[in-house]
Amino acid sequence: MLVATERDALSLLSAQAVRDRARMMLDLGLRDGLTHFRIDLARLDAVSDAVLTTIHKSYPSLNIPFHARWRHFSLQGVDRWAAISERVSWPDRAARARAEFDLAIVSVLLDAGAGAAWRYRDGVSGKAIGRSEGLAFASLDMFASGAFSGIARDPFRADAEKLAEFSAADLERGFQVGAENPLLGLEGRADLLRRLGRHVALRKDVFGRQDTPRPGGLFDHLVSCAKSDMIAAPSILREVLLQLGPIWPSRLSLAGISLGDCWKHPAIRTADATDGLVPLHKLSQWLTYSLIEPLQRASIEVNDIDGLTGLAEYRNGGLFVDLGVLSLRDPAEAERSHEVDSALVVEWRALTVALLDRLAEKIRAKLDRDARSLPLASLLEGGSWAAGRVAAYERRADGSPPIKVVSDGTVF
């Protein structure tokens, strides 16, 4: 039996590990070697056409922003966070960046699937907003009201001590949850915030360099990692995984290191202690994409953005199922609910990552673009995520994904 080392564990905490294992899963599928899915790459053209339709509708100039949490703070053409932040007299760009890191980290951690029933009533527009956008507005309103701040005169922050005491009841109030408006994984979300607060409080060396401990202190840590005011996106992800990894509920670990969003699959074989392990790091990559713009606004250049991968979540994954690239060997599986650590869900998520790379190649070819002019982050936004939602609503009245996944509020 191989003895796991720290090097083995750290090898899984990277975007490249996600991409490599996802490609292994796709290769197995193309050889008809998977237990739950068949793959029809001929249907990838139909997917690329659907994504191009959404791109041309939403971004006819092809000037597509990155897929990031910031997109979800806009409604009816108004960017709420931009409007709020422009009214604040920030001492300097770093102060704004810390606040934006606080907001992005908290909002992304609260962004796991809400379920089809939940809605957030926006006080400005009066609209009832569901799913990821509703979660975004709920978290933004809580942030702007000082719900996460431990300093009354400074609402635009999230403090470790306040987060460490955050209750499910606090979240119920902020997210307007009730018997008629249920939110999936409520306790899991609140527990994740408490874990975040406790961890940040303990790691003042990372999160308290220029202020009392707060998630936004990660900005100062990343600045210290930058060279000549430049940092690579995969390096941001690595720090996110290393510095925030301990907050995740008990899952897999190797050599005493938590592996986060990483799961077992018997078909993924390697010759070392990482045998059978499939890292996906969906929320961590979603967070990393969302930290790029605050860094750029603070004059830190971020390169190698395409070094990150597509996101292994149900909109992107649902797109490939709904349009026939992926099909279940047993159609009855679509009627059952599946745990996130099941082989079926691990297959689906890994295949999604690998297929997004294939999809990007097709769309760039059709638009005569390259990875620099159309990075994967823009394709996701333009894009595959939106096309996945359209496909879902065309086939199911509630827009639910084609495969049911049991959510604890900390993965999708």
Side-chain angles (χ1 to χ4, degrees):
M1 182 177 178
L2 292 170
V3 177
T5 66
E6 181 178 293
R7 182 177 180 180
D8 291 323
L10 295 178
S11 73
L12 295 170
L13 301 183
S14 71
Q16 191 59 53
V18 175
R19 181 165 274 123
D20 289 344
R21 299 290 164 108
R23 287 174 177 170
M24 289 173 68
M25 193 76 79
L26 180 60
D27 289 344
L28 282 166
L30 293 176
R31 298 197 301 270
D32 203 29
L34 294 178
T35 304
H36 298 284
F37 286 94
R38 292 188 178 93
I39 302 170
D40 182 2
L41 284 185
R43 298 293 302 162
L44 202 56
D45 278 324
V47 176
S48 66
D49 289 342
V51 173
L52 283 168
T53 296
T54 64
I55 287 174
H56 288 307
K57 181 179 179 180
S58 301
Y59 301 100
S61 68
L62 300 183
N63 184 23
I64 310 170
F66 294 156
H67 190 55
R69 195 56 164 160
W70 309 107
R71 308 290 83 76
H72 292 163
F73 296 141
S74 293
L75 185 65
Q76 297 175 329
V78 177
D79 184 333
R80 293 278 181 84
W81 170 245
I84 291 169
S85 61
E86 286 166 7
R87 294 196 298 268
V88 178
S89 297
W90 304 105
D92 51 37
R93 286 180 295 188
R96 175 174 175 169
R98 289 184 202 104
E100 291 180 335
F101 266 51
D102 279 336
L103 173 57
I105 291 170
V106 169
S107 188
V108 166
L109 292 184
L110 292 171
D111 190 37
W118 178 81
R119 296 289 185 276
Y120 181 72
R121 178 70 64 178
D122 174 42
V124 177
S125 68
K127 287 184 172 293
I129 312 168
R131 300 196 180 274
S132 195
E133 290 90 344
L135 294 169
F137 273 91
S139 61
L140 175 60
D141 286 348
M142 290 183 74
F143 182 78
S145 70
F148 307 113
S149 173
I151 302 176
R153 67 180 184 278
D154 185 5
F156 305 113
R157 57 187 293 128
D159 286 290
E161 290 186 1
K162 189 69 176 283
L163 292 170
E165 299 173 351
F166 219 79
S167 69
D170 293 328
L171 213 52
E172 278 184 356
R173 287 191 294 273
F175 279 58
Q176 303 172 354
V177 176
E180 302 300 316
N181 194 33
L183 176 67
L184 294 180
L186 182 73
E187 182 53 55
R189 296 170 204 268
D191 182 57
L192 196 57
L193 289 185
R194 291 192 294 271
R195 287 172 174 271
L196 173 67
R198 292 194 295 267
H199 174 66
V200 167
L202 290 172
R203 293 301 308 276
K204 294 180 182 179
D205 57 318
V206 174
F207 299 100
R209 286 169 173 256
Q210 301 293 331
D211 199 345
T212 53
R214 55 191 287 194
L218 184 63
F219 166 76
D220 300 296
H221 176 71
L222 291 177
V223 169
S224 74
C225 296
K227 296 180 179 178
S228 302
D229 291 333
M230 181 183 297
I231 190 169
S235 297
I236 299 173
L237 174 64
R238 186 172 180 82
E239 291 304 316
V240 165
L241 291 168
L242 288 172
Q243 308 307 335
L244 295 178
I247 74 172
W248 299 105
S250 179
R251 292 183 183 146
L252 298 177
S253 63
L254 209 60
I257 296 174
S258 174
L259 301 180
D261 185 5
C262 181
W263 312 91
K264 292 182 178 179
H265 194 286
I268 299 300
R269 309 314 305 260
T270 63
D272 59 17
T274 68
D275 183 64
L277 296 177
V278 182
L280 294 161
H281 304 314
K282 182 263 174 176
L283 277 177
S284 294
Q285 292 206 81
W286 176 224
L287 175 56
T288 299
Y289 280 124
S290 301
L291 297 180
I292 292 172
E293 289 163 65
L295 284 164
Q296 291 174 329
R297 280 191 282 271
S299 298
I300 303 298
E301 183 178 344
V302 180
N303 59 14
D304 194 19
I305 294 171
D306 245 32
L308 301 176
T309 77
L311 301 180
E313 48 81 51
Y314 68 84
R315 285 300 179 213
N316 290 316
L319 178 66
F320 294 117
V321 174
D322 281 334
L323 296 190
V325 176
L326 297 177
S327 60
L328 288 164
R329 290 182 180 277
D330 179 4
E333 294 282 15
E335 304 305 316
R336 305 181 188 118
S337 293
H338 304 275
E339 297 290 341
V340 72
D341 64 349
S342 68
L344 185 150
V345 173
V346 176
E347 279 183 23
W348 183 33
R349 297 180 72 203
L351 290 170
T352 296
V353 171
L355 288 169
L356 284 168
D357 279 345
R358 296 277 187 114
L359 178 64
E361 292 172 2
K362 277 188 172 292
I363 289 177
R364 287 168 184 151
K366 290 182 178 183
L367 293 176
D368 193 25
R369 296 291 186 97
D370 57 18
R372 184 176 180 82
S373 58
L374 184 61
L376 187 56
S378 296
L379 176 68
L380 294 171
E381 177 62 26
S384 60
W385 190 89
R389 172 177 278 183
V390 170
Y393 275 100
E394 287 176 347
R395 289 158 178 79
R396 292 168 295 280
D398 63 356
S400 59
I403 296 171
K404 300 179 180 68
V405 179
V406 178
S407 173
D408 67 353
T410 67
V411 177
F412 278 95

